[in-house]
Amino acid sequence: MRKKFDTEMSVRPHEVDLNGHVHQSVYFDYVLFARWDQMGRCYKMPMEEFFKRGYSWTTQSARIEFQKPLYLGDTIIVRTWIEEIKQKSVRVRFQILKKKTEKITTEGELVYVLISAKTGRPEIIPEDILEKYSVQQD
Amino acid sequence: MRKKFDTEMSVRPHEVDLNGHVHQSVYFDYVLFARWDQMGRCYKMPMEEFFKRGYSWTTQSARIEFQKPLYLGDTIIVRTWIEEIKQKSVRVRFQILKKKTEKITTEGELVYVLISAKTGRPEIIPEDILEKYSVQQD
Amino acid sequence: MRKKFDTEMSVRPHEVDLNGHVHQSVYFDYVLFARWDQMGRCYKMPMEEFFKRGYSWTTQSARIEFQKPLYLGDTIIVRTWIEEIKQKSVRVRFQILKKKTEKITTEGELVYVLISAKTGRPEIIPEDILEKYSVQQD
Amino acid sequence: MRKKFDTEMSVRPHEVDLNGHVHQSVYFDYVLFARWDQMGRCYKMPMEEFFKRGYSWTTQSARIEFQKPLYLGDTIIVRTWIEEIKQKSVRVRFQILKKKTEKITTEGELVYVLISAKTGRPEIIPEDILEKYSVQQD
């Protein structure tokens, strides 16, 4: 199994709705931040390096299950890992946990496609990136 | 097949990312607005009426497929319809189209659960709401 | 006095806070959308044309007075006009009105600086843009 | 002079615009989070305690000066302090600094009014809160 990485963050006041729960759309911002953070810190290939090499990532699809609400005041852990690598895309799974209880509140997955920043067309994931993305759980 | 309803809206400048594409999380805000708009305007049961009767809706799960990007300047149509009604939940499908071309750019679905606003627990959908939600395509 | 222009928009559900009021930060997104809309539709110089000519606008300062809250369900009018034109910047005033009552809920102003998109440095506003921005109230 | 408090946070990817700069509206979300964080952590009177006592805070006005842009990748310090206390309101000043350079990028102020959560009407700030808000710089 590929290695799982964690990013910690805090729920911010503008992210909660009328009922005091974090808005559904905000969960995707959390996961986006976690991936961005982990690309540099954990996979050792920050987003800027993709840009420099003429690449970008685009999201093809997403699914999410909201199991327990998140509230203002919660510190959360966004855990992500690569579930599957295809020629031009990766399938990333994620879980969002409350830091205090370590209970899972949310689960889901995203499919990201590597594209040429210039043409927007899908690109084959190069060998050296494949290798970085293949780091295994101890 | 149940009736499909349309809500028109404009992409706003703060909704686009570094590449000029609408952020992935914003799509859920679009669908949320469309549902809210259509609850009152199309199903004749606005959100406030749910609140008055002690109900609220919560999102159980969502999935989305990003087929073509949306850009600043786009006017979009968010089309939603109820695909399935269960005892305590509804499964809603949506499409996002560019108004100019009427081409579909995005598809997905959300499962909403009716809850008691007080306890947060799932509630059986009352008969009169079922009826309003059963309006058929002509 | 320079001409005032109006842009109409709807409050969307994800824009309200715990108290059902529109979040303070969202007001700036409303004004940004109104300016963007009015640049093309009213001043006949859309944002893309600025980009094409190597220009961009950056916000130097803003102030806002929240007089009455906005709620989900409100349709609003964002009215903006150019109060002052300097060599490299414009001072824009705005009002946000409820469409139904035409009452002002919010007032404020923003100072925008014309910059070179390449260097980020302030640029002198060219004659033809000055002219477009000088259209007077009838 | 009243004591200044710092809250650290990271710029998140969905917060940057087409030019890679943090959106103007996002700055207010940063300050809101900092105030919320500091209310509990620094002033020892968390927001929930205001709610429990039937109070809430509403923003009357805001002004902000954008001196240098913030970018994705920046870790920032939001520093706030109470500049003035009136009978029913406080004037709070803030600065946003880059953590790495400790350079100020943004300055501004907000006026918050204490209100009754029930009626929405301004309330006189009670003695014990005045005291908590009067903590002086060493």
Side-chain angles (χ1 to χ4, degrees):
Chain A
M1 181 183 266
R2 288 191 194 82
K3 196 157 181 178
K4 299 179 177 185
F5 297 108
D6 287 1
T7 299
E8 188 180 314
M9 63 195 91
S10 296
V11 172
R12 299 178 183 169
H14 73 282
E15 295 168 345
V16 303
D17 67 10
L18 262 169
N19 306 307
H21 300 168
V22 170
H23 268 298
Q24 52 177 7
S25 61
V26 172
Y27 287 76
F28 290 97
D29 297 329
Y30 291 160
V31 177
L32 180 66
F33 175 58
R35 283 305 294 175
W36 177 85
D37 167 51
Q38 293 167 16
M39 282 168 86
R41 192 170 51 81
C42 308
Y43 295 100
K44 309 297 176 199
M45 171 104 184
M47 196 61 196
E48 304 92 81
E49 214 170 307
F50 282 94
F51 288 148
K52 265 186 217 150
R53 287 170 63 173
Y55 294 123
S56 189
W57 288 100
T58 189
T59 308
Q60 188 177 73
S61 65
R63 64 171 188 71
I64 187 165
E65 278 165 55
F66 303 97
Q67 293 158 0
K68 304 207 174 310
L70 296 174
Y71 299 92
L72 181 53
D74 284 343
T75 300
I76 59 172
I77 307 285
V78 182
R79 178 168 298 162
T80 91
W81 67 96
I82 295 172
E83 183 71 18
E84 192 186 7
I85 302 182
K86 293 198 171 173
Q87 211 188 18
K88 299 178 179 181
S89 66
V90 293
R91 191 154 56 86
V92 171
R93 287 195 44 200
F94 67 84
Q95 291 173 333
I96 302 178
L97 301 89
K98 293 212 191 196
K99 196 190 172 192
K100 217 191 261 178
T101 59
E102 296 207 23
K103 289 259 169 69
I104 296 169
T105 66
T106 324
E107 287 190 277
E109 73 175 36
L110 292 127
V111 175
Y112 298 108
V113 178
L114 188 72
I115 57 169
S116 156
K118 219 172 165 177
T119 66
R121 296 271 177 76
E123 294 265 340
I124 293 173
I125 303 172
E127 269 306 319
D128 65 314
I129 298 174
L130 278 184
E131 204 172 302
K132 277 177 175 142
Y133 275 21
S134 300
V135 53
Q136 296 294 306
Q137 195 76 3
D138 300 323
Chain B
M1 181 182 268
R2 289 194 194 79
K3 195 157 180 176
K4 298 179 177 186
F5 297 108
D6 287 2
T7 299
E8 189 179 314
M9 63 195 90
S10 296
V11 172
R12 299 180 183 168
H14 73 282
E15 296 168 345
V16 303
D17 67 10
L18 261 169
N19 306 308
H21 301 169
V22 169
H23 268 296
Q24 52 177 8
S25 62
V26 173
Y27 288 76
F28 290 97
D29 296 330
Y30 291 160
V31 177
L32 180 65
F33 176 57
R35 283 303 295 174
W36 177 86
D37 168 50
Q38 294 168 15
M39 281 169 86
R41 192 170 51 81
C42 308
Y43 295 99
K44 310 297 179 199
M45 172 104 184
M47 197 60 197
E48 304 93 78
E49 214 170 307
F50 282 96
F51 287 148
K52 267 187 215 149
R53 287 171 62 175
Y55 294 123
S56 188
W57 288 100
T58 189
T59 307
Q60 188 177 72
S61 65
R63 63 170 190 73
I64 187 165
E65 278 165 54
F66 303 97
Q67 293 159 0
K68 305 207 174 306
L70 295 174
Y71 299 91
L72 182 52
D74 285 343
T75 301
I76 59 171
I77 307 285
V78 182
R79 178 167 298 162
T80 91
W81 67 96
I82 295 171
E83 183 72 17
E84 191 186 9
I85 303 182
K86 293 199 172 171
Q87 212 189 16
K88 299 177 180 181
S89 66
V90 294
R91 190 155 57 86
V92 171
R93 288 195 44 200
F94 67 85
Q95 291 173 332
I96 302 178
L97 302 88
K98 293 213 191 197
K99 197 192 169 190
K100 217 191 260 176
T101 59
E102 295 206 25
K103 291 257 170 70
I104 295 169
T105 65
T106 324
E107 286 190 278
E109 73 175 35
L110 292 127
V111 175
Y112 297 108
V113 179
L114 188 71
I115 57 168
S116 155
K118 217 171 165 179
T119 65
R121 296 271 176 76
E123 293 266 341
I124 293 174
I125 303 173
E127 270 305 321
D128 66 312
I129 298 173
L130 278 184
E131 204 173 301
K132 276 176 174 144
Y133 275 22
S134 298
V135 52
Q136 296 293 307
Q137 194 77 3
D138 300 326
Chain C
M1 181 183 269
R2 288 192 194 80
K3 195 157 180 177
K4 298 178 177 186
F5 297 108
D6 287 2
T7 299
E8 190 180 312
M9 63 195 90
S10 295
V11 172
R12 299 180 183 168
H14 73 282
E15 295 169 344
V16 303
D17 67 10
L18 260 170
N19 306 307
H21 301 168
V22 169
H23 268 297
Q24 51 177 7
S25 62
V26 172
Y27 288 76
F28 290 97
D29 296 330
Y30 291 160
V31 176
L32 180 66
F33 175 59
R35 284 305 294 174
W36 177 86
D37 168 51
Q38 294 168 15
M39 282 169 87
R41 191 170 51 81
C42 308
Y43 295 99
K44 311 296 177 199
M45 172 104 184
M47 197 61 196
E48 303 92 81
E49 214 169 306
F50 282 95
F51 287 148
K52 267 187 214 149
R53 287 170 63 174
Y55 293 123
S56 188
W57 288 100
T58 188
T59 306
Q60 189 177 71
S61 65
R63 66 170 188 72
I64 187 166
E65 279 165 54
F66 303 97
Q67 293 159 1
K68 304 206 175 307
L70 295 174
Y71 299 91
L72 180 53
D74 285 343
T75 301
I76 59 171
I77 306 286
V78 182
R79 177 167 298 162
T80 91
W81 66 97
I82 295 171
E83 183 73 17
E84 192 187 7
I85 303 182
K86 293 200 172 170
Q87 213 189 16
K88 299 178 180 180
S89 65
V90 293
R91 191 154 57 85
V92 171
R93 287 195 45 201
F94 67 86
Q95 291 173 332
I96 303 179
L97 301 89
K98 293 212 191 196
K99 197 192 170 192
K100 215 192 263 178
T101 59
E102 295 207 25
K103 290 257 169 72
I104 295 169
T105 65
T106 324
E107 287 190 277
E109 73 175 35
L110 292 128
V111 175
Y112 297 108
V113 178
L114 188 72
I115 57 169
S116 155
K118 217 171 166 178
T119 65
R121 295 273 177 76
E123 293 266 340
I124 293 174
I125 303 172
E127 270 304 322
D128 66 314
I129 298 174
L130 278 184
E131 205 173 300
K132 276 176 175 145
Y133 275 22
S134 299
V135 53
Q136 296 294 305
Q137 194 76 5
D138 301 323
Chain D
M1 182 182 266
R2 287 191 196 80
K3 197 157 180 178
K4 299 179 177 185
F5 297 108
D6 287 2
T7 299
E8 189 179 314
M9 62 195 90
S10 295
V11 172
R12 300 179 183 168
H14 73 283
E15 295 168 345
V16 304
D17 67 10
L18 261 169
N19 305 308
H21 300 168
V22 170
H23 269 297
Q24 51 178 8
S25 62
V26 172
Y27 287 76
F28 290 97
D29 297 329
Y30 291 160
V31 177
L32 180 66
F33 175 58
R35 283 305 293 174
W36 176 85
D37 167 51
Q38 293 167 17
M39 282 168 87
R41 192 170 50 83
C42 308
Y43 295 99
K44 310 297 178 199
M45 171 106 184
M47 197 60 196
E48 305 92 80
E49 213 170 308
F50 282 95
F51 288 149
K52 266 186 217 151
R53 288 171 62 173
Y55 294 123
S56 189
W57 288 100
T58 189
T59 307
Q60 188 176 73
S61 65
R63 63 170 191 72
I64 188 165
E65 278 165 54
F66 303 96
Q67 293 159 1
K68 304 207 173 308
L70 296 174
Y71 300 90
L72 180 53
D74 284 343
T75 301
I76 60 172
I77 307 286
V78 182
R79 178 167 298 163
T80 91
W81 66 96
I82 295 172
E83 183 72 18
E84 192 186 7
I85 303 183
K86 293 199 170 171
Q87 211 188 17
K88 300 178 178 180
S89 65
V90 294
R91 191 154 57 86
V92 170
R93 288 195 44 199
F94 67 86
Q95 291 173 333
I96 302 178
L97 302 89
K98 295 213 191 196
K99 197 191 171 192
K100 216 191 260 176
T101 60
E102 296 206 22
K103 289 260 170 71
I104 295 169
T105 65
T106 325
E107 286 190 277
E109 72 175 35
L110 292 128
V111 175
Y112 298 108
V113 179
L114 187 71
I115 56 169
S116 155
K118 217 172 166 178
T119 66
R121 296 271 177 74
E123 295 265 341
I124 293 173
I125 303 172
E127 269 306 321
D128 66 312
I129 298 174
L130 279 184
E131 204 172 301
K132 276 176 174 144
Y133 275 22
S134 299
V135 53
Q136 297 293 306
Q137 195 76 3
D138 301 324

